[in-house]
PDB file of all heavy atoms in Angstrom:
ATOM      1  N   LEU A  30       8.043  10.988-183.290  1.00 96.00           N
ATOM      2  CA  LEU A  30       7.946   9.754-182.534  1.00 96.00           C
ATOM      3  C   LEU A  30       6.812   8.906-183.065  1.00 96.00           C
ATOM      4  O   LEU A  30       5.928   9.394-183.750  1.00 96.00           O
ATOM      5  CB  LEU A  30       7.789  10.004-181.029  1.00 96.00           C
ATOM      6  CG  LEU A  30       6.578  10.773-180.514  1.00 96.00           C
ATOM      7  CD1 LEU A  30       5.368   9.873-180.352  1.00 96.00           C
ATOM      8  CD2 LEU A  30       6.911  11.403-179.174  1.00 96.00           C
ATOM      9  N   GLU A  31       6.899   7.618-182.756  1.00 97.00           N
ATOM     10  CA  GLU A  31       5.838   6.685-183.123  1.00 97.00           C
ATOM     11  C   GLU A  31       5.185   6.177-181.846  1.00 97.00           C
ATOM     12  O   GLU A  31       5.840   6.034-180.826  1.00 97.00           O
ATOM     13  CB  GLU A  31       6.389   5.479-183.898  1.00 97.00           C
ATOM     14  CG  GLU A  31       6.924   5.817-185.265  1.00 97.00           C
ATOM     15  CD  GLU A  31       8.400   6.154-185.276  1.00 97.00           C
ATOM     16  OE1 GLU A  31       9.064   6.013-184.223  1.00 97.00           O
ATOM     17  OE2 GLU A  31       8.898   6.568-186.324  1.00 97.00           O
ATOM     18  N   VAL A  32       3.900   5.897-181.940  1.00 98.00           N
ATOM     19  CA  VAL A  32       3.158   5.322-180.823  1.00 98.00           C
ATOM     20  C   VAL A  32       2.171   4.305-181.392  1.00 98.00           C
ATOM     21  O   VAL A  32       1.618   4.504-182.477  1.00 98.00           O
ATOM     22  CB  VAL A  32       2.447   6.420-179.991  1.00 98.00           C
ATOM     23  CG1 VAL A  32       1.415   7.165-180.803  1.00 98.00           C
ATOM     24  CG2 VAL A  32       1.832   5.852-178.728  1.00 98.00           C
ATOM     25  N   ARG A  33       2.006   3.198-180.688  1.00 97.00           N
ATOM     26  CA  ARG A  33       1.045   2.182-181.131  1.00 97.00           C
ATOM     27  C   ARG A  33      -0.346   2.787-181.282  1.00 97.00           C
ATOM     28  O   ARG A  33      -0.773   3.583-180.443  1.00 97.00           O
ATOM     29  CB  ARG A  33       0.954   1.043-180.114  1.00 97.00           C
ATOM     30  CG  ARG A  33       2.143   0.132-180.078  1.00 97.00           C
ATOM     31  CD  ARG A  33       1.917  -0.959-179.010  1.00 97.00           C
ATOM     32  NE  ARG A  33       3.099  -1.787-178.904  1.00 97.00           N
ATOM     33  CZ  ARG A  33       3.292  -2.904-179.596  1.00 97.00           C
ATOM     34  NH1 ARG A  33       2.354  -3.332-180.410  1.00 97.00           N
ATOM     35  NH2 ARG A  33       4.413  -3.585-179.460  1.00 97.00           N
ATOM     36  N   VAL A  34      -1.038   2.387-182.316  1.00 97.00           N
ATOM     37  CA  VAL A  34      -2.403   2.852-182.529  1.00 97.00           C
ATOM     38  C   VAL A  34      -3.272   2.528-181.306  1.00 97.00           C
ATOM     39  O   VAL A  34      -4.138   3.316-180.929  1.00 97.00           O
ATOM     40  CB  VAL A  34      -2.992   2.222-183.815  1.00 97.00           C
ATOM     41  CG1 VAL A  34      -4.471   2.472-183.930  1.00 97.00           C
ATOM     42  CG2 VAL A  34      -2.259   2.751-185.035  1.00 97.00           C
ATOM     43  N   SER A  35      -3.014   1.402-180.666  1.00 96.00           N
ATOM     44  CA  SER A  35      -3.820   0.978-179.511  1.00 96.00           C
ATOM     45  C   SER A  35      -3.473   1.716-178.225  1.00 96.00           C
ATOM     46  O   SER A  35      -4.185   1.578-177.232  1.00 96.00           O
ATOM     47  CB  SER A  35      -3.648  -0.526-179.284  1.00 96.00           C
ATOM     48  OG  SER A  35      -2.303  -0.821-178.922  1.00 96.00           O
ATOM     49  N   ASN A  36      -2.409   2.514-178.214  1.00 96.00           N
ATOM     50  CA  ASN A  36      -1.985   3.187-176.987  1.00 96.00           C
ATOM     51  C   ASN A  36      -2.572   4.597-176.931  1.00 96.00           C
ATOM     52  O   ASN A  36      -1.873   5.607-177.066  1.00 96.00           O
ATOM     53  CB  ASN A  36      -0.458   3.216-176.900  1.00 96.00           C
ATOM     54  CG  ASN A  36       0.030   3.580-175.522  1.00 96.00           C
ATOM     55  OD1 ASN A  36      -0.717   4.085-174.699  1.00 96.00           O
ATOM     56  ND2 ASN A  36       1.309   3.332-175.268  1.00 96.00           N
ATOM     57  N   ALA A  37      -3.877   4.656-176.695  1.00 95.00           N
ATOM     58  CA  ALA A  37      -4.587   5.937-176.670  1.00 95.00           C
ATOM     59  C   ALA A  37      -4.080   6.859-175.567  1.00 95.00           C
ATOM     60  O   ALA A  37      -4.016   8.075-175.754  1.00 95.00           O
ATOM     61  CB  ALA A  37      -6.082   5.698-176.519  1.00 95.00           C
ATOM     62  N   ALA A  38      -3.705   6.304-174.422  1.00 93.00           N
ATOM     63  CA  ALA A  38      -3.225   7.136-173.311  1.00 93.00           C
ATOM     64  C   ALA A  38      -1.941   7.864-173.698  1.00 93.00           C
ATOM     65  O   ALA A  38      -1.795   9.066-173.454  1.00 93.00           O
ATOM     66  CB  ALA A  38      -3.009   6.281-172.065  1.00 93.00           C
ATOM     67  N   ALA A  39      -1.004   7.155-174.317  1.00 94.00           N
ATOM     68  CA  ALA A  39       0.258   7.780-174.731  1.00 94.00           C
ATOM     69  C   ALA A  39       0.007   8.806-175.828  1.00 94.00           C
ATOM     70  O   ALA A  39       0.558   9.915-175.792  1.00 94.00           O
ATOM     71  CB  ALA A  39       1.248   6.727-175.199  1.00 94.00           C
ATOM     72  N   ALA A  40      -0.827   8.475-176.810  1.00 96.00           N
ATOM     73  CA  ALA A  40      -1.124   9.420-177.890  1.00 96.00           C
ATOM     74  C   ALA A  40      -1.740  10.691-177.331  1.00 96.00           C
ATOM     75  O   ALA A  40      -1.389  11.802-177.749  1.00 96.00           O
ATOM     76  CB  ALA A  40      -2.049   8.770-178.918  1.00 96.00           C
ATOM     77  N   SER A  41      -2.621  10.546-176.367  1.00 95.00           N
ATOM     78  CA  SER A  41      -3.255  11.705-175.740  1.00 95.00           C
ATOM     79  C   SER A  41      -2.227  12.556-174.991  1.00 95.00           C
ATOM     80  O   SER A  41      -2.248  13.789-175.068  1.00 95.00           O
ATOM     81  CB  SER A  41      -4.355  11.236-174.789  1.00 95.00           C
ATOM     82  OG  SER A  41      -4.946  12.328-174.138  1.00 95.00           O
ATOM     83  N   LEU A  42      -1.327  11.906-174.276  1.00 95.00           N
ATOM     84  CA  LEU A  42      -0.264  12.622-173.566  1.00 95.00           C
ATOM     85  C   LEU A  42       0.572  13.429-174.558  1.00 95.00           C
ATOM     86  O   LEU A  42       0.791  14.626-174.380  1.00 95.00           O
ATOM     87  CB  LEU A  42       0.630  11.652-172.796  1.00 95.00           C
ATOM     88  CG  LEU A  42       1.946  12.252-172.284  1.00 95.00           C
ATOM     89  CD1 LEU A  42       1.688  13.292-171.204  1.00 95.00           C
ATOM     90  CD2 LEU A  42       2.863  11.166-171.784  1.00 95.00           C
ATOM     91  N   TYR A  43       1.053  12.769-175.620  1.00 96.00           N
ATOM     92  CA  TYR A  43       1.904  13.450-176.592  1.00 96.00           C
ATOM     93  C   TYR A  43       1.181  14.622-177.241  1.00 96.00           C
ATOM     94  O   TYR A  43       1.745  15.695-177.413  1.00 96.00           O
ATOM     95  CB  TYR A  43       2.395  12.473-177.666  1.00 96.00           C
ATOM     96  CG  TYR A  43       3.269  11.369-177.120  1.00 96.00           C
ATOM     97  CD1 TYR A  43       3.104  10.053-177.541  1.00 96.00           C
ATOM     98  CD2 TYR A  43       4.257  11.615-176.176  1.00 96.00           C
ATOM     99  CE1 TYR A  43       3.900   9.030-177.059  1.00 96.00           C
ATOM    100  CE2 TYR A  43       5.055  10.595-175.680  1.00 96.00           C
ATOM    101  CZ  TYR A  43       4.872   9.313-176.120  1.00 96.00           C
ATOM    102  OH  TYR A  43       5.662   8.304-175.635  1.00 96.00           O
ATOM    103  N   GLN A  44      -0.083  14.431-177.575  1.00 96.00           N
ATOM    104  CA  GLN A  44      -0.843  15.514-178.198  1.00 96.00           C
ATOM    105  C   GLN A  44      -1.052  16.671-177.226  1.00 96.00           C
ATOM    106  O   GLN A  44      -1.033  17.829-177.631  1.00 96.00           O
ATOM    107  CB  GLN A  44      -2.159  14.984-178.749  1.00 96.00           C
ATOM    108  CG  GLN A  44      -1.934  14.093-179.954  1.00 96.00           C
ATOM    109  CD  GLN A  44      -3.176  13.383-180.446  1.00 96.00           C
ATOM    110  OE1 GLN A  44      -4.246  13.485-179.862  1.00 96.00           O
ATOM    111  NE2 GLN A  44      -3.028  12.648-181.537  1.00 96.00           N
ATOM    112  N   SER A  45      -1.165  16.374-175.941  1.00 95.00           N
ATOM    113  CA  SER A  45      -1.369  17.441-174.949  1.00 95.00           C
ATOM    114  C   SER A  45      -0.115  18.280-174.732  1.00 95.00           C
ATOM    115  O   SER A  45      -0.197  19.382-174.182  1.00 95.00           O
ATOM    116  CB  SER A  45      -1.847  16.861-173.618  1.00 95.00           C
ATOM    117  OG  SER A  45      -0.781  16.244-172.912  1.00 95.00           O
ATOM    118  N   ILE A  46       1.050  17.779-175.162  1.00 95.00           N
ATOM    119  CA  ILE A  46       2.284  18.546-175.004  1.00 95.00           C
ATOM    120  C   ILE A  46       2.868  18.982-176.340  1.00 95.00           C
ATOM    121  O   ILE A  46       4.062  19.239-176.443  1.00 95.00           O
ATOM    122  CB  ILE A  46       3.323  17.803-174.137  1.00 95.00           C
ATOM    123  CG1 ILE A  46       3.600  16.409-174.649  1.00 95.00           C
ATOM    124  CG2 ILE A  46       2.888  17.764-172.694  1.00 95.00           C
ATOM    125  CD1 ILE A  46       4.612  15.636-173.823  1.00 95.00           C
ATOM    126  N   GLY A  47       2.009  19.081-177.348  1.00 96.00           N
ATOM    127  CA  GLY A  47       2.409  19.736-178.581  1.00 96.00           C
ATOM    128  C   GLY A  47       2.687  18.863-179.784  1.00 96.00           C
ATOM    129  O   GLY A  47       3.084  19.368-180.827  1.00 96.00           O
ATOM    130  N   PHE A  48       2.496  17.558-179.674  1.00 98.00           N
ATOM    131  CA  PHE A  48       2.706  16.681-180.823  1.00 98.00           C
ATOM    132  C   PHE A  48       1.418  16.589-181.634  1.00 98.00           C
ATOM    133  O   PHE A  48       0.325  16.618-181.070  1.00 98.00           O
ATOM    134  CB  PHE A  48       3.126  15.279-180.368  1.00 98.00           C
ATOM    135  CG  PHE A  48       4.557  15.200-179.922  1.00 98.00           C
ATOM    136  CD1 PHE A  48       4.907  15.557-178.634  1.00 98.00           C
ATOM    137  CD2 PHE A  48       5.553  14.782-180.782  1.00 98.00           C
ATOM    138  CE1 PHE A  48       6.224  15.494-178.202  1.00 98.00           C
ATOM    139  CE2 PHE A  48       6.875  14.716-180.367  1.00 98.00           C
ATOM    140  CZ  PHE A  48       7.213  15.071-179.080  1.00 98.00           C
ATOM    141  N   HIS A  49       1.572  16.472-182.953  1.00 98.00           N
ATOM    142  CA  HIS A  49       0.435  16.356-183.858  1.00 98.00           C
ATOM    143  C   HIS A  49       0.676  15.190-184.797  1.00 98.00           C
ATOM    144  O   HIS A  49       1.796  14.961-185.247  1.00 98.00           O
ATOM    145  CB  HIS A  49       0.258  17.637-184.682  1.00 98.00           C
ATOM    146  CG  HIS A  49       0.095  18.854-183.837  1.00 98.00           C
ATOM    147  ND1 HIS A  49      -1.101  19.198-183.254  1.00 98.00           N
ATOM    148  CD2 HIS A  49       0.987  19.789-183.436  1.00 98.00           C
ATOM    149  CE1 HIS A  49      -0.937  20.290-182.543  1.00 98.00           C
ATOM    150  NE2 HIS A  49       0.329  20.674-182.643  1.00 98.00           N
ATOM    151  N   GLN A  50      -0.388  14.459-185.105  1.00 98.00           N
ATOM    152  CA  GLN A  50      -0.249  13.324-186.014  1.00 98.00           C
ATOM    153  C   GLN A  50       0.050  13.817-187.414  1.00 98.00           C
ATOM    154  O   GLN A  50      -0.625  14.697-187.942  1.00 98.00           O
ATOM    155  CB  GLN A  50      -1.516  12.477-186.020  1.00 98.00           C
ATOM    156  CG  GLN A  50      -1.359  11.232-186.878  1.00 98.00           C
ATOM    157  CD  GLN A  50      -2.568  10.322-186.829  1.00 98.00           C
ATOM    158  OE1 GLN A  50      -3.422  10.457-185.978  1.00 98.00           O
ATOM    159  NE2 GLN A  50      -2.619   9.401-187.755  1.00 98.00           N
ATOM    160  N   VAL A  51       1.104  13.249-188.003  1.00 98.00           N
ATOM    161  CA  VAL A  51       1.497  13.625-189.362  1.00 98.00           C
ATOM    162  C   VAL A  51       1.500  12.428-190.306  1.00 98.00           C
ATOM    163  O   VAL A  51       1.793  12.574-191.487  1.00 98.00           O
ATOM    164  CB  VAL A  51       2.880  14.317-189.387  1.00 98.00           C
ATOM    165  CG1 VAL A  51       2.815  15.663-188.679  1.00 98.00           C
ATOM    166  CG2 VAL A  51       3.952  13.427-188.798  1.00 98.00           C
ATOM    167  N   GLY A  52       1.180  11.261-189.791  1.00 98.00           N
ATOM    168  CA  GLY A  52       1.155  10.080-190.641  1.00 98.00           C
ATOM    169  C   GLY A  52       1.037   8.820-189.822  1.00 98.00           C
ATOM    170  O   GLY A  52       0.656   8.848-188.647  1.00 98.00           O
ATOM    171  N   GLY A  53       1.370   7.723-190.448  1.00 97.00           N
ATOM    172  CA  GLY A  53       1.310   6.429-189.787  1.00 97.00           C
ATOM    173  C   GLY A  53       2.325   5.486-190.401  1.00 97.00           C
ATOM    174  O   GLY A  53       2.903   5.768-191.454  1.00 97.00           O
ATOM    175  N   ARG A  54       2.542   4.386-189.723  1.00 97.00           N
ATOM    176  CA  ARG A  54       3.453   3.358-190.214  1.00 97.00           C
ATOM    177  C   ARG A  54       2.730   2.016-190.099  1.00 97.00           C
ATOM    178  O   ARG A  54       2.433   1.575-188.998  1.00 97.00           O
ATOM    179  CB  ARG A  54       4.740   3.341-189.402  1.00 97.00           C
ATOM    180  CG  ARG A  54       5.504   4.664-189.453  1.00 97.00           C
ATOM    181  CD  ARG A  54       6.902   4.490-188.928  1.00 97.00           C
ATOM    182  NE  ARG A  54       7.598   5.723-188.716  1.00 97.00           N
ATOM    183  CZ  ARG A  54       8.253   6.414-189.645  1.00 97.00           C
ATOM    184  NH1 ARG A  54       8.265   5.984-190.887  1.00 97.00           N
ATOM    185  NH2 ARG A  54       8.892   7.521-189.350  1.00 97.00           N
ATOM    186  N   LYS A  55       2.449   1.414-191.238  1.00 97.00           N
ATOM    187  CA  LYS A  55       1.754   0.121-191.276  1.00 97.00           C
ATOM    188  C   LYS A  55       2.660  -0.983-190.740  1.00 97.00           C
ATOM    189  O   LYS A  55       3.834  -1.068-191.117  1.00 97.00           O
ATOM    190  CB  LYS A  55       1.346  -0.229-192.707  1.00 97.00           C
ATOM    191  CG  LYS A  55       0.283   0.667-193.267  1.00 97.00           C
ATOM    192  CD  LYS A  55      -1.062   0.267-192.729  1.00 97.00           C
ATOM    193  CE  LYS A  55      -2.152   1.073-193.407  1.00 97.00           C
ATOM    194  NZ  LYS A  55      -3.397   0.969-192.717  1.00 97.00           N
ATOM    195  N   GLY A  56       2.121  -1.801-189.841  1.00 97.00           N
ATOM    196  CA  GLY A  56       2.842  -2.957-189.325  1.00 97.00           C
ATOM    197  C   GLY A  56       4.149  -2.628-188.621  1.00 97.00           C
ATOM    198  O   GLY A  56       5.082  -3.418-188.632  1.00 97.00           O
ATOM    199  N   TYR A  57       4.225  -1.488-187.971  1.00 95.00           N
ATOM    200  CA  TYR A  57       5.470  -1.002-187.369  1.00 95.00           C
ATOM    201  C   TYR A  57       5.888  -1.811-186.134  1.00 95.00           C
ATOM    202  O   TYR A  57       7.055  -2.087-185.942  1.00 95.00           O
ATOM    203  CB  TYR A  57       5.306   0.473-187.010  1.00 95.00           C
ATOM    204  CG  TYR A  57       6.572   1.144-186.543  1.00 95.00           C
ATOM    205  CD1 TYR A  57       7.553   1.495-187.459  1.00 95.00           C
ATOM    206  CD2 TYR A  57       6.787   1.437-185.205  1.00 95.00           C
ATOM    207  CE1 TYR A  57       8.716   2.124-187.055  1.00 95.00           C
ATOM    208  CE2 TYR A  57       7.939   2.062-184.791  1.00 95.00           C
ATOM    209  CZ  TYR A  57       8.905   2.405-185.721  1.00 95.00           C
ATOM    210  OH  TYR A  57      10.050   3.027-185.306  1.00 95.00           O
ATOM    211  N   TYR A  58       4.918  -2.162-185.300  1.00 97.00           N
ATOM    212  CA  TYR A  58       5.210  -2.867-184.045  1.00 97.00           C
ATOM    213  C   TYR A  58       4.845  -4.342-184.138  1.00 97.00           C
ATOM    214  O   TYR A  58       3.812  -4.691-184.698  1.00 97.00           O
ATOM    215  CB  TYR A  58       4.390  -2.273-182.896  1.00 97.00           C
ATOM    216  CG  TYR A  58       4.829  -0.905-182.457  1.00 97.00           C
ATOM    217  CD1 TYR A  58       4.096   0.223-182.801  1.00 97.00           C
ATOM    218  CD2 TYR A  58       5.965  -0.737-181.681  1.00 97.00           C
ATOM    219  CE1 TYR A  58       4.480   1.487-182.383  1.00 97.00           C
ATOM    220  CE2 TYR A  58       6.362   0.525-181.264  1.00 97.00           C
ATOM    221  CZ  TYR A  58       5.620   1.624-181.613  1.00 97.00           C
ATOM    222  OH  TYR A  58       6.008   2.872-181.202  1.00 97.00           O
ATOM    223  N   PRO A  59       5.661  -5.219-183.528  1.00 96.00           N
ATOM    224  CA  PRO A  59       5.243  -6.617-183.412  1.00 96.00           C
ATOM    225  C   PRO A  59       4.062  -6.716-182.443  1.00 96.00           C
ATOM    226  O   PRO A  59       3.968  -5.948-181.492  1.00 96.00           O
ATOM    227  CB  PRO A  59       6.475  -7.337-182.861  1.00 96.00           C
ATOM    228  CG  PRO A  59       7.359  -6.281-182.317  1.00 96.00           C
ATOM    229  CD  PRO A  59       6.980  -4.979-182.954  1.00 96.00           C
ATOM    230  N   ALA A  60       3.170  -7.642-182.709  1.00 95.00           N
ATOM    231  CA  ALA A  60       2.002  -7.855-181.851  1.00 95.00           C
ATOM    232  C   ALA A  60       1.732  -9.356-181.766  1.00 95.00           C
ATOM    233  O   ALA A  60       2.254 -10.143-182.562  1.00 95.00           O
ATOM    234  CB  ALA A  60       0.786  -7.114-182.424  1.00 95.00           C
ATOM    235  N   ARG A  61       0.919  -9.739-180.815  1.00 93.00           N
ATOM    236  CA  ARG A  61       0.609 -11.166-180.623  1.00 93.00           C
ATOM    237  C   ARG A  61       0.072 -11.826-181.883  1.00 93.00           C
ATOM    238  O   ARG A  61       0.401 -12.959-182.192  1.00 93.00           O
ATOM    239  CB  ARG A  61      -0.407 -11.354-179.503  1.00 93.00           C
ATOM    240  CG  ARG A  61       0.182 -11.198-178.160  1.00 93.00           C
ATOM    241  CD  ARG A  61      -0.808 -11.587-177.108  1.00 93.00           C
ATOM    242  NE  ARG A  61      -0.223 -11.292-175.800  1.00 93.00           N
ATOM    243  CZ  ARG A  61      -0.866 -11.284-174.696  1.00 93.00           C
ATOM    244  NH1 ARG A  61      -2.163 -11.568-174.688  1.00 93.00           N
ATOM    245  NH2 ARG A  61      -0.253 -11.017-173.566  1.00 93.00           N
ATOM    246  N   ASP A  62      -0.773 -11.114-182.588  1.00 91.00           N
ATOM    247  CA  ASP A  62      -1.412 -11.701-183.771  1.00 91.00           C
ATOM    248  C   ASP A  62      -0.887 -11.087-185.070  1.00 91.00           C
ATOM    249  O   ASP A  62      -1.628 -10.884-186.018  1.00 91.00           O
ATOM    250  CB  ASP A  62      -2.933 -11.562-183.677  1.00 91.00           C
ATOM    251  CG  ASP A  62      -3.381 -10.129-183.496  1.00 91.00           C
ATOM    252  OD1 ASP A  62      -2.530  -9.256-183.242  1.00 91.00           O
ATOM    253  OD2 ASP A  62      -4.584  -9.876-183.622  1.00 91.00           O
ATOM    254  N   GLY A  63       0.397 -10.785-185.104  1.00 96.00           N
ATOM    255  CA  GLY A  63       0.992 -10.228-186.323  1.00 96.00           C
ATOM    256  C   GLY A  63       1.732  -8.931-186.046  1.00 96.00           C
ATOM    257  O   GLY A  63       2.675  -8.901-185.277  1.00 96.00           O
ATOM    258  N   ARG A  64       1.267  -7.871-186.660  1.00 98.00           N
ATOM    259  CA  ARG A  64       1.899  -6.568-186.541  1.00 98.00           C
ATOM    260  C   ARG A  64       0.841  -5.526-186.207  1.00 98.00           C
ATOM    261  O   ARG A  64      -0.336  -5.708-186.515  1.00 98.00           O
ATOM    262  CB  ARG A  64       2.599  -6.163-187.843  1.00 98.00           C
ATOM    263  CG  ARG A  64       3.575  -7.164-188.412  1.00 98.00           C
ATOM    264  CD  ARG A  64       4.853  -7.282-187.675  1.00 98.00           C
ATOM    265  NE  ARG A  64       5.606  -6.031-187.681  1.00 98.00           N
ATOM    266  CZ  ARG A  64       6.753  -5.887-187.019  1.00 98.00           C
ATOM    267  NH1 ARG A  64       7.257  -6.890-186.347  1.00 98.00           N
ATOM    268  NH2 ARG A  64       7.383  -4.743-187.027  1.00 98.00           N
ATOM    269  N   GLU A  65       1.263  -4.444-185.566  1.00 97.00           N
ATOM    270  CA  GLU A  65       0.348  -3.348-185.227  1.00 97.00           C
ATOM    271  C   GLU A  65       0.864  -2.058-185.860  1.00 97.00           C
ATOM    272  O   GLU A  65       2.068  -1.796-185.876  1.00 97.00           O
ATOM    273  CB  GLU A  65       0.254  -3.180-183.713  1.00 97.00           C
ATOM    274  CG  GLU A  65      -0.721  -2.099-183.300  1.00 97.00           C
ATOM    275  CD  GLU A  65      -0.909  -1.974-181.795  1.00 97.00           C
ATOM    276  OE1 GLU A  65      -0.319  -2.764-181.046  1.00 97.00           O
ATOM    277  OE2 GLU A  65      -1.638  -1.076-181.381  1.00 97.00           O
TER     278      GLU A  65
END
Side-chain angles (χ1 to χ4, degrees):
L30 61 83
E31 292 91 6
V32 63
R33 288 180 184 268
V34 169
S35 65
N36 194 344
S41 178
L42 167 67
Y43 297 137
Q44 290 172 357
S45 76
I46 54 180
F48 284 83
H49 303 280
Q50 184 176 346
V51 293
R54 300 194 191 276
K55 292 282 186 194
Y57 187 76
Y58 289 105
R61 284 188 185 168
D62 56 349
R64 307 287 298 176
E65 182 176 357

